Amino acid sequence: MVATLVRLRFLVLRNSLKRSTWQLVAVVIGAIYGLGILGLVVAALIGLGFAPVELASTALILGGSVLVVGWILVPLIAFGVEQTLEPARLVVFPLSMKQLLVGLTVTGILGVPGIVTSIAVLATFATWLREPLAAVAAVIGGAVGVLICVIGSRTVAALSTSLQSNRRFRELGGILIFIPLILLGPIITWVSQGVATSADALPQLARALSWSPLGAPWSVAADVAIGDWGPAAAKLGISLATVAVLVLIWRRSLAVALVTPPASSAKRVAKGKTGLFGILPATPAGAIAARCLTYWRRDPRYARQLIIVPLVPVFLAIYSGNMGSLVLLNLTGPLIAFVLALALYTDISYDGTAFATHLADGVRGIDDRLGRLWALSVIAVPVILLGTFIPVAITDSWASLPMLLGLAVAVYLTGLGVSAVSSSRIVIPVPQAGDNPFKSAPGAGFSTMLSGFATWGVTMALCLPAIVLAILSVVFDSVLYGWLTLAAGLVVGAIAFVIGLRMGAAQLDRRGPDLLARLKRMRSA
Amino acid sequence: MSDPTPPSASAPAPAPAPAVPAPAAHAPSDHPAMQLNRLSKRFGDKVAVDDLSLTVPVGSFYGMVGPNGAGKTTTLSMATGLLHPDAGQSLIHGVDLWAEPLKAKALIGNLSDGVKLFDRLTGEQLVTYNGLLFGLDRDEVAERVADLLKLLDLESAAGTLVVDYSAGMTKKIALACALVHAPRLLVLDEPFESVDPVSAANIRDILTGYVQNGGTVIVSSHVMDLVQRMCDHVAVVANGRVLVAGTVDEVRDGSTLEDRFVDLVGGRTHAEGPEWLRRS
């Protein structure tokens, strides 16, 4: 049965690649990139075999801990949890919970990230080759470590699903609860950086981590190498206990998720209450803006894009702290502008086939574009302004304000222009409305990343004049260049915005039906 | 699926029904309501629609029937501007849809099968949204939305999110969306699928009234009996072609529509299924 599940997973992958050449290209590029990194890591691990034991164990424990954190957090922030074999779809088959858990774990290990991780972990065998017993311990500890990674990420996925099926968490709240979880990483880094103010403290940090679930599996071999049998056994115990606890939580939340279908929100308003439709102008663009804003509020897939907003100042504050001054914090506004302007680079994907409404109702491309950007701006502009003014007030650097505003304006308007074009062209597989917003749609990963980076790159390139002026104003400490940045930002941004809007609108008028055809294909994917 | 409001079957018979929406007044013209000229579409190796031509006269209640995969949805999608045809033309009251899409689409009320609605809106919001997209002003939209919700017996569900509607209620709200701008031509792809009998009868009355007021309706359906009773014209489509088209009486030719359909399309088998299935 487990073998059948594994075969099914690869069959789904193969068939979804067959449907789209671009996705295949993206996967090949991703594979080459991944193989390159894997090669480097394996080489480094072999190289560590010739380094002092202290250094090797410190590097392994720190690296391993980052790996575990990455496995658990990256899906939440970036790609969504890969769920080709969604437990909910398997529920109609007579599978015992045990078979289901084993099957999902094995398919998780045999996915691309799982294989890469396993190979890297096997390479630690080479690191400890000088102490054959330690080398064996490295493989055993490493295997448990891989299990922690895979099961940990599945547990988080199941948890987010079962939270989803709880009505209270379905809307914005479901997203907000993940903010502290995501912040956990930076906070740990922050705290540990306080401890480890210099490189000398890294071994200490590693030693501390080696007693935590994050580092324990990777430190078994290190203890064996120096003959500390007691701690080695203890750490193996900690690792196994971690796996056991994770399985327990996973099993519980999966059991809940499987018998609790996403609850209907059963939200009702009185008749005659059309909400934002009664407030925004009664034009096609106004109606689209009202619809989008309603979705920003009701559909967690949109809210998910806002998670990043509170994270920007936190990350910047952490890095500023490292540099000993709060200057970086000033970049909050422009960075939020960048992230939010491009949040909708593939907006129509989120509509899904409901986009047919716009086609059937004869909506002009320009109204479609304007409505969506309007809705985004209602949210983004106040946030960006706050993100620009508050840090300047905190750091009392009012002289930089024109420069920062210029950057924010340039980035935001250009980003809107670029999104207007890209979202009339690119549709990517996204979770359907009502799905777990953290789920990655089948076969999304690499192609999503690729098109995302492309739009980021184009936006950056178009903003270059403003960015260069901003850098000059910092380098020469010049207020004049700051004002020039503001002027350039307004001009460049306005031009990019208008051109982008027109290109996007024309494209949508011409190719709208083709977009719908692709959305339909994707939905059945 | 949960059904937050009682199905309309249990509701008391509606008191004087609101007026059936009439198509917008227009100058008479001699163009057919819809004329499809040699439409073709292929998906990869599969020819979905093969050189299909069809004329739908103004004021007709036109049924389009055909087996699964016959190309009905593909044809109607190309006819209404949702799918680019590989070749061919769709004229809506003489307006070439693919040349002047906005002008032609304003004439059509479209209920398409296999696409979703913006279902995180309430029913009332969704119909309002469609009205505003067609450029109606706010007061007019509000009035029409109220009429349509009443007409389709959806008043009690007006404030419920469409995602929480049952399948039949979803069809009805989609029909309201198609009617809100008083189109001259209604194109309905499978409008009766999963609709309860009472609602189906109500919808049929609405459509009949709409035709009597000068509008034109095209419905696709699997249900021969319904088409035979409801429509005055019918086209039988299979393998992307029109096998026969004309008035219902012409097409059924003395027999029932269902028998004629099976004769034309073929594929009827009398097998009892595999032996292992009969044992259980």
Side-chain angles (χ1 to χ4, degrees):
Chain A
M1 185 50 81
V2 171
T4 312
L5 286 180
V6 174
R7 266 202 305 279
L8 178 65
R9 192 221 174 285
F10 280 102
L11 208 59
V12 171
L13 183 65
R14 200 188 72 190
N15 290 351
S16 64
L17 289 184
K18 264 202 209 151
R19 289 171 72 108
S20 154
T21 323
W22 270 110
Q23 215 165 308
L24 186 65
V25 171
V27 169
V28 169
I29 292 175
I32 292 171
Y33 189 69
L35 280 179
I37 290 185
L38 181 62
L40 282 178
V41 170
V42 169
L45 287 173
I46 295 173
L48 273 182
F50 303 100
V53 170
E54 170 92 359
L55 176 61
S57 54
T58 302
L60 282 179
I61 294 168
L62 291 182
S65 305
V66 171
L67 186 70
V68 175
V69 172
W71 262 87
I72 293 175
L73 289 191
V74 166
L76 283 186
I77 309 174
F79 306 118
V81 183
E82 200 277 339
Q83 289 204 8
T84 311
L85 296 183
E86 205 183 345
R89 287 196 204 162
L90 297 174
V91 76
V92 292
F93 299 109
L95 281 172
S96 69
M97 187 54 100
K98 197 171 144 206
Q99 281 172 321
L100 193 60
L101 294 183
V102 174
L104 289 175
T105 308
V106 173
T107 53
I109 295 173
L110 290 181
V112 175
I115 292 174
V116 169
T117 306
S118 304
I119 292 175
V121 166
L122 276 180
T124 59
F125 184 76
T127 312
W128 295 111
L129 212 52
R130 61 191 126 183
E131 292 281 344
L133 272 178
V136 174
V139 173
I140 297 172
V144 181
V146 172
L147 281 180
I148 293 182
C149 288
V150 173
I151 298 179
S153 81
R154 297 277 153 173
T155 306
V156 171
L159 271 179
S160 70
T161 313
S162 56
L163 281 183
Q164 277 284 305
S165 49
N166 184 332
R167 178 156 65 89
R168 266 187 303 166
F169 288 104
R170 254 184 66 178
E171 297 183 352
L172 204 52
I175 302 293
L176 293 180
I177 199 162
F178 281 95
I179 290 182
L181 191 62
I182 291 169
L183 280 177
L184 212 58
I187 289 171
I188 290 174
T189 329
W190 203 1
V191 170
S192 50
Q193 262 166 353
V195 180
T197 36
S198 68
D200 303 337
L202 282 181
Q204 258 174 332
L205 173 63
R207 232 165 293 159
L209 275 175
S210 75
W211 290 99
S212 77
L214 298 182
W218 321 108
S219 63
V220 178
D223 286 338
V224 171
I226 53 172
D228 272 354
W229 294 98
K235 284 167 188 174
L236 189 60
I238 292 176
S239 314
L240 288 172
T242 306
V243 173
V245 170
L246 285 174
V247 169
L248 208 68
I249 301 176
W250 186 22
R251 196 189 167 100
R252 276 272 182 82
S253 54
L254 206 55
V256 172
L258 287 181
V259 296
T260 324
S264 92
S265 61
K267 202 191 187 85
R268 297 184 57 176
V269 296
K271 188 175 156 304
K273 287 248 165 68
T274 50
L276 291 166
F277 289 93
I279 297 168
L280 291 177
T283 60
I288 290 170
R291 199 272 301 166
C292 291
L293 277 173
T294 310
Y295 266 61
W296 274 95
R297 201 164 57 81
R298 282 196 195 139
D299 187 339
R301 297 174 306 161
Y302 287 87
R304 185 188 164 203
Q305 323 245 24
L306 294 177
I307 290 186
I308 197 83
V309 170
L311 296 185
V312 169
V314 172
F315 276 106
L316 286 175
I318 290 171
Y319 288 118
S320 299
N322 290 350
M323 284 172 50
S325 90
L326 283 173
V327 172
L328 271 181
L329 193 60
N330 283 340
L331 284 176
T332 305
L335 273 181
I336 291 179
F338 184 68
V339 172
L340 285 184
L342 294 175
L344 294 184
Y345 80 95
T346 167
D347 194 17
I348 288 182
S349 312
Y350 286 106
D351 293 359
T353 53
F355 174 63
T357 300
H358 288 201
L359 278 183
D361 290 3
V363 175
R364 294 184 306 153
I366 189 77
D367 287 330
D368 178 285
R369 304 289 77 182
L370 276 176
R372 291 173 197 269
L373 299 184
W374 183 348
L376 175 64
S377 298
V378 168
I379 297 170
V381 169
V383 173
I384 293 169
L385 288 179
L386 287 177
T388 309
F389 279 90
I390 293 178
V392 168
I394 292 174
T395 59
D396 196 23
S397 43
W398 293 98
S400 320
L401 188 60
M403 180 270 278
L404 292 170
L405 270 182
L407 265 187
V409 168
V411 170
Y412 185 65
L413 288 180
T414 311
L416 289 188
V418 171
S419 310
V421 177
S422 68
S423 72
S424 67
R425 182 158 219 132
I426 307 171
V427 288
I428 55 170
V430 295
Q432 296 291 310
D435 275 356
N436 181 347
F438 291 109
K439 192 177 95 174
S440 81
F446 287 118
S447 48
T448 310
M449 206 165 70
L450 212 62
S451 44
F453 281 142
T455 46
W456 285 30
V458 171
T459 309
M460 289 293 259
L462 291 175
C463 289
L464 220 49
I467 294 175
V468 168
L469 284 171
I471 292 174
L472 287 179
S473 87
V474 172
V475 170
F476 296 127
D477 199 13
S478 150
V479 179
L480 174 66
Y481 275 114
W483 284 104
L484 284 178
T485 311
L486 181 54
L490 283 169
V491 173
V492 169
I495 293 175
F497 178 72
V498 171
I499 293 181
L501 205 58
R502 295 188 141 198
M503 276 175 67
Q507 196 150 246
L508 199 61
D509 284 333
R510 219 173 35 247
R511 311 191 34 95
D514 302 331
L515 281 185
L516 178 65
R518 268 154 61 203
L519 287 166
K520 273 189 170 178
R521 264 209 307 279
M522 237 170 240
R523 199 184 64 141
S524 54
Chain B
M1 165 160 298
S2 69
D3 196 338
T5 53
S8 50
S10 63
V20 165
H26 56 276
S29 76
D30 39 1
H31 292 294
M34 179 195 276
Q35 184 169 1
L36 306 180
N37 291 334
R38 314 197 62 175
L39 279 180
S40 293
K41 184 74 191 178
R42 73 172 43 241
F43 297 113
D45 301 334
K46 188 178 177 298
V47 180
V49 175
D50 186 6
D51 214 17
L52 182 146
S53 298
L54 187 69
T55 302
V56 177
V58 172
S60 61
F61 199 140
Y62 212 111
M64 189 185 245
V65 297
N68 297 326
K72 300 187 295 288
T73 297
T74 309
T75 303
L76 294 181
S77 294
M78 290 192 290
T80 54
L82 296 186
L83 181 68
H84 268 299
D86 291 343
Q89 247 188 337
S90 167
L91 303 176
I92 307 297
H93 285 280
V95 181
D96 184 343
L97 184 128
W98 289 101
E100 298 177 86
L102 300 189
K103 195 175 163 199
K105 284 173 184 174
L107 300 171
I108 307 174
N110 196 349
L111 186 162
S112 39
D113 190 37
V115 301
K116 291 200 301 190
L117 301 168
F118 284 106
D119 55 15
R120 306 286 137 155
L121 302 180
T122 66
E124 190 172 16
Q125 282 179 326
L126 184 65
V127 184
T128 306
Y129 184 47
N130 277 273
L132 293 174
L133 288 186
F134 275 111
L136 304 179
D137 68 53
R138 203 193 300 277
D139 294 336
E140 184 151 33
V141 170
E143 192 188 323
R144 290 189 185 185
V145 169
D147 283 347
L148 283 169
L149 291 176
K150 195 166 181 190
L151 186 69
L152 290 163
D153 200 13
L154 285 170
E155 277 181 305
S156 58
T160 307
L161 297 191
V162 173
V163 69
D164 293 328
Y165 278 17
S166 69
M169 289 161 77
T170 308
K171 281 279 182 203
K172 289 202 284 181
I173 203 76
L175 181 63
C177 292
L179 285 169
V180 69
H181 62 298
R184 289 174 63 186
L185 169 67
L186 265 183
V187 180
L188 312 175
D189 195 359
E190 298 287 356
F192 297 105
E193 211 173 44
S194 29
V195 176
D196 67 83
V198 176
S199 296
N202 288 343
I203 292 178
R204 220 166 55 222
D205 289 347
I206 295 169
L207 297 181
T208 311
Y210 176 85
V211 170
Q212 278 162 2
N213 286 322
T216 311
V217 176
I218 305 173
V219 292
S220 78
S221 181
H222 298 294
V223 189
M224 299 302 142
D225 191 40
L226 197 75
V227 171
Q228 180 175 336
R229 273 187 290 133
M230 185 173 71
C231 298
D232 46 40
H233 286 65
V234 66
V236 180
V237 180
N239 297 322
R241 292 164 171 277
V242 175
L243 298 182
V244 59
T247 64
V248 171
D249 288 335
E250 279 167 20
V251 170
R252 70 190 172 103
D253 197 17
S255 157
T256 67
L257 191 58
E258 181 154 356
D259 289 343
R260 271 294 280 158
F261 178 83
V262 172
D263 284 348
L264 284 163
V265 174
R268 181 87 175 88
T269 57
H270 294 277
E272 291 174 66
E275 185 263 341
W276 55 265
L277 192 54
R278 270 175 280 154
R279 264 183 325 198
S280 54

